[in-house]
Amino acid sequence: MGAAKKYLNNQFMARKFFLENEEASEFYLCSLQSNRSSVPLLLIRIVIFLGCLGIVLASGILTGQAIDAKYWPIYLTHWGILLNTVCAFLACCVSIAAYAQGGIDATFGLPWYVKAYWFSFNAAVPIAFFITAFYYAFLSSMGEEFAINQVLDLFIHGINSVLMMCLLLTAQHPSLILHFYQPISVTLVYLVFGIIYYFAGGTNPNGDPWIYPNIDWRDPGPATGMVFASAAMIIIIHLLVVLISLARDWFSKRYIRDSRTMSFNS
């Protein structure tokens, strides 16, 4: 109980609201390695990036063939897989910089590209999990209009979360409670887009004046309720990500990493 109280006291310090961390190495070392090489995580991140990029390209191509490519940007799912790709790309950039420089110096704070990656990670992972949960809980049983291709459907609503889970489990950097505003800020941007799209006369591919049937602004009461419920769900998922990162770090420190014996092979 004392350890939990100490952890929470530390988590709710004002500085934890910002993208600052004393150990830059945590952003390019893998939780599954016992040495200090940046190569293992670099290779993992390249695979994840290629997977995310493949999903985005397949989604764009198949959407354009099945309906009209102009509708691709209206869905949160597609925002999510694009965010996954950006996050994985920035993760690769961090690892490449660490490999090229022999490490990353955070004496005067984390470099901007590390902060950009961390922000994208904090947003992409919870949003990916949210998209998977929301789709399979509320949308998948509503008909085929959300499933252009069954295989693609699995990749953009399921494998997206698998890739982000891999990114989460192989990282060493922390996930902080006070960073909940970062996934919320991205979804807030999407919410504003959705409202503007509705009042501008936008429709879905079937001509309906909504993007998702659960958020139909012709009936603002239920739509607003769904927005607040979704925001609460994203915050809960963010807290779950924090717990997963804590379990990951505990397992890694107990069974894989040992500060007394870690080598410094590059």
mmCIF file of all heavy atoms in Angstrom, residues 257-262:
data_model
loop_
_atom_site.group_PDB
_atom_site.id
_atom_site.type_symbol
_atom_site.label_atom_id
_atom_site.label_comp_id
_atom_site.label_asym_id
_atom_site.label_seq_id
_atom_site.Cartn_x
_atom_site.Cartn_y
_atom_site.Cartn_z
ATOM 1 N N ARG A 257 16.352 -7.488 -17.297
ATOM 2 C CA ARG A 257 17.386 -6.485 -17.065
ATOM 3 C C ARG A 257 17.939 -6.595 -15.647
ATOM 4 O O ARG A 257 17.227 -6.894 -14.713
ATOM 5 C CB ARG A 257 16.818 -5.078 -17.265
ATOM 6 C CG ARG A 257 16.517 -4.743 -18.712
ATOM 7 C CD ARG A 257 16.041 -3.308 -18.811
ATOM 8 N NE ARG A 257 14.663 -3.165 -18.371
ATOM 9 C CZ ARG A 257 14.136 -2.048 -17.885
ATOM 10 N NH1 ARG A 257 14.891 -0.981 -17.732
ATOM 11 N NH2 ARG A 257 12.869 -1.991 -17.533
ATOM 12 N N ASP A 258 19.218 -6.327 -15.520
ATOM 13 C CA ASP A 258 19.871 -6.308 -14.213
ATOM 14 C C ASP A 258 20.924 -5.229 -14.271
ATOM 15 O O ASP A 258 21.923 -5.370 -14.967
ATOM 16 C CB ASP A 258 20.501 -7.662 -13.893
ATOM 17 C CG ASP A 258 21.050 -7.728 -12.466
ATOM 18 O OD1 ASP A 258 21.370 -6.662 -11.916
ATOM 19 O OD2 ASP A 258 21.160 -8.843 -11.931
ATOM 20 N N SER A 259 20.709 -4.142 -13.561
ATOM 21 C CA SER A 259 21.615 -2.984 -13.644
ATOM 22 C C SER A 259 23.031 -3.326 -13.209
ATOM 23 O O SER A 259 23.976 -2.628 -13.559
ATOM 24 C CB SER A 259 21.075 -1.837 -12.777
ATOM 25 O OG SER A 259 20.982 -2.243 -11.420
ATOM 26 N N ARG A 260 23.209 -4.426 -12.495
ATOM 27 C CA ARG A 260 24.555 -4.778 -12.040
ATOM 28 C C ARG A 260 25.343 -5.502 -13.117
ATOM 29 O O ARG A 260 26.556 -5.560 -13.093
ATOM 30 C CB ARG A 260 24.473 -5.649 -10.792
ATOM 31 C CG ARG A 260 23.868 -4.961 -9.577
ATOM 32 C CD ARG A 260 23.588 -5.960 -8.488
ATOM 33 N NE ARG A 260 22.641 -6.991 -8.941
ATOM 34 C CZ ARG A 260 22.260 -8.045 -8.215
ATOM 35 N NH1 ARG A 260 22.774 -8.203 -6.990
ATOM 36 N NH2 ARG A 260 21.397 -8.909 -8.690
ATOM 37 N N THR A 261 24.620 -6.090 -14.091
ATOM 38 C CA THR A 261 25.309 -6.926 -15.078
ATOM 39 C C THR A 261 25.071 -6.503 -16.515
ATOM 40 O O THR A 261 25.588 -7.125 -17.416
ATOM 41 C CB THR A 261 24.835 -8.384 -14.933
ATOM 42 O OG1 THR A 261 23.420 -8.451 -15.176
ATOM 43 C CG2 THR A 261 25.141 -8.928 -13.562
ATOM 44 N N MET A 262 24.285 -5.434 -16.748
ATOM 45 C CA MET A 262 24.014 -5.016 -18.122
ATOM 46 C C MET A 262 25.280 -4.605 -18.824
ATOM 47 O O MET A 262 26.079 -3.819 -18.332
ATOM 48 C CB MET A 262 23.017 -3.840 -18.140
ATOM 49 C CG MET A 262 21.585 -4.250 -17.886
ATOM 50 S SD MET A 262 20.466 -2.853 -17.936
ATOM 51 C CE MET A 262 20.437 -2.537 -19.689
#
